[in-house]
């Protein structure tokens, strides 16, 4: 479990650790125009390959696939750290995303393999906490490495920890078991990867290219067409990447949609609250992370408690509803923040939001894993991970558009020139002191309004959760843990 946790931490960190290093990377590698691809390449690749890694793990054994994906990730990390130009770095980030996507989905599936159904919630909650904390810690580490050492260490730091995780996993994970022999569904995997590519490109570059531009409209049309084609392709496949029976399961579909909406809200909070703190309250990147500690505390504690409560399958829907309601309440409270909101009030709002964020991911994944046979654990985990990844990209893109549009509208009366751009909040500091307060009020209002617009997505999730019926699974069909789970339980008791 320690090796799996460390691997998830590294894979999750690499989704966000470069965000604060991008300006320095663009300067060193002379690539300002295409610097956004450094982040988008990792997200695109990790999302596109998630279903394939999950299915291959079902077919050929998750341990060997996990070791392979970790090796790819570490090799790509070396390539990222040694890149001499932007195309080399983007290519290495694609390869790193391929490995990172496999590490995350196979970890979740491995937990389903070695932990009994009644205990899955506790361990999935632990991994969910790691994922949430990494989303906040990543930008801080990226800034520290960039300022104190070099941006290259944001990638090279993976090596010592990754090698330890790889060695421990190779020795401690249970022997891989192969599923039924079947031909790999190359066509289905290709179509699904193309769908993921289209979704990530639309969400990552919609605002930059223009939501009404021919490129974005064409991508949306092509993605919808591929989604329609995917259904008959998977029905004809001998071993489909996404089994049609799974796609027809209300539990899987509703849980994945809830995961999509919850992750959209979560990443809108995790990505843009530090920006609000840095611009409106004038704190440093490091200090903004300290301000976010109440949110992290709420996330970690609620994940842990929800995991323990989820030992009884009947409680899963209650926990899910409680988490969604708390998350919705947190967003509505964040919809009231302004330039003068005090630290104590912000801390309370962050704590409530963190409690809501922490309860949802673990319950969604546990519910899906308990509803499918053991032979489909990898594919089921991949479906949820895929939906959550797309939700994260969607939430960041939509909130960014709402924020920039809202700020531009409120700052319309401010004078331009001198480096200030009403469409770019990061230029507020160039305004004269007499006008700066007006601009800060405009940015705070735009941030609050964005959270009010995102809140209805959680209301949709609550409605879906009301119709969700978590399955009760026992015995062999539930995936009775192998002998390795005894070690897991002993470790948990010792901890």
């Amino acid at each position: 479990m320690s090796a799996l946790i460390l691997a998830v931490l590294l894979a999750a960190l690499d989704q966000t650790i470069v965000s604060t290093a991008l300006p320095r990377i663009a300067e060193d590698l002379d690539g300002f125009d295409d610097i956004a691809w450094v982040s988008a390449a990792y997200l695109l690749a990790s999302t596109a390959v998630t279903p394939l890694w999950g299915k291959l793990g079902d077919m050929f054994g998750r341990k060997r696939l996990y070791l392979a994906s970790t090796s790819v990730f570490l090799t790509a990390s070396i390539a990222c750290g040694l890149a001499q130009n932007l195309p080399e770095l983007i290519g290495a980030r694609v390869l790193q995303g391929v490995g990172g996507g496999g590490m995350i989905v196979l970890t979740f599936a491995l937990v389903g393999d070695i932990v009994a159904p009644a205990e899955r919630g506790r361990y999935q909650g632990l991994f969910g906490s790691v994922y949430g904390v990494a989303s906040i810690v990543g930008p801080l580490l990226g800034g520290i490495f960039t300022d104190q050492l070099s941006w290259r260490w944001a990638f090279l730091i993976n090596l010592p920890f990754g090698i330890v995780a790889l060695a421990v996993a190779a020795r401690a994970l249970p022997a891989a078991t192969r599923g039924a022999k079947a031909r790999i569904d190359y066509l289905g995997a290709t179509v699904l990867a193309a769908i993921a590519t289209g979704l990530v490109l639309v969400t990552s570059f919609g605002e930059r290219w223009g939501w009404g531009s021919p490129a974005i409209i064409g991508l949306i049309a092509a993605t919808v067409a591929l989604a329609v084609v995917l259904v008959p392709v998977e029905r004809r496949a001998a071993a489909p990447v996404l089994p049609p029976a799974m796609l027809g399961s209300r539990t899987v579909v509703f849980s994945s949609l809830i995961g999509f909406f919850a992750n959209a809200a979560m990443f809108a909070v995790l990505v843009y609250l530090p920006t609000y703190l840095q611009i409106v309250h004038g704190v440093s990147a490091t200090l903004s992370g300290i301000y976010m500690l109440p949110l992290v505390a709420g996330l970690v504690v609620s994940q842990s408690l929800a995991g323990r409560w989820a030992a009884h399958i009947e409680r899963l829907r209650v926990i899910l509803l409680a988490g969604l309601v708390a998350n919705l309440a947190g967003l509505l409270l964040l919809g009231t923040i302004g330039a003068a909101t005090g630290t104590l009030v912000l801390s309370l709002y962050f704590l409530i939001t963190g409690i809501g964020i922490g309860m949802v991911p673990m319950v969604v994944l546990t519910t899906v894993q308990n509803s499918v046979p053991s032979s489909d654990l990898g594919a089921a985990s991949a479906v949820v991970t895929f939906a959550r990844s797309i939700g994260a990209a969607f939430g960041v893109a939509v909130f960014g558009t709402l924020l920039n549009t809202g700020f531009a509208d409120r700052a319309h009366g401010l004078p331009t020139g001198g480096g200030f751009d009403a469409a770019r909040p990061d230029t507020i500091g160039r305004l004269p002191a007499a006008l700066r307060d007006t601009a800060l009020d405009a940015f705070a209002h735009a941030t609050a309004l964005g959270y009010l617009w995102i809140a209805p997505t959680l209301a949709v999730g609550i409605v879906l959760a009301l119709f969700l019926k978590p399955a009760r699974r026992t015995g062999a069909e539930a995936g009775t843990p192998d002998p390795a789970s005894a070690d897991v339980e002993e470790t948990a008791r010792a901890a």
Side-chain angles (χ1 to χ4, degrees), residues 15 43-54 101 104-106 108 131 188-200 223 227 230 241-242 246-247 252 255-257 259-261 263-264 364-365 378-394:
Q15 292 184 348
L43 178 62
L44 191 154
S46 62
T47 304
V49 301
T50 290
L52 182 60
W53 278 118
I104 291 176
V105 69
L106 290 169
F108 291 145
Y131 202 88
T190 301
V191 173
L192 196 57
I195 292 172
T197 301
L199 291 172
V200 171
T223 302
L230 180 65
V241 175
L242 291 180
M246 189 181 301
L247 294 177
V252 174
S255 296
S256 298
L257 288 173
F260 173 89
F261 292 127
N263 250 37
V364 167
L365 185 58
S381 301
V383 170
V384 177
T385 305
F386 181 85
R388 289 170 57 184
S389 297
I390 297 298
F394 176 82

Side-chain angles (χ1 to χ4, degrees), residues 11 30 38 65 99 190 201 234 248 280 396-397 427:
D30 191 22
V38 175
L65 268 296
T190 301
L201 288 176
E234 294 300 82
V280 177
V396 171
T427 62

Side-chain angles (χ1 to χ4, degrees), residues 202 205-217 220:
V202 168
F205 296 98
E207 184 177 8
R208 181 179 177 182
W209 295 347
W211 291 106
S213 65
I216 293 298
I217 294 175
I220 293 174

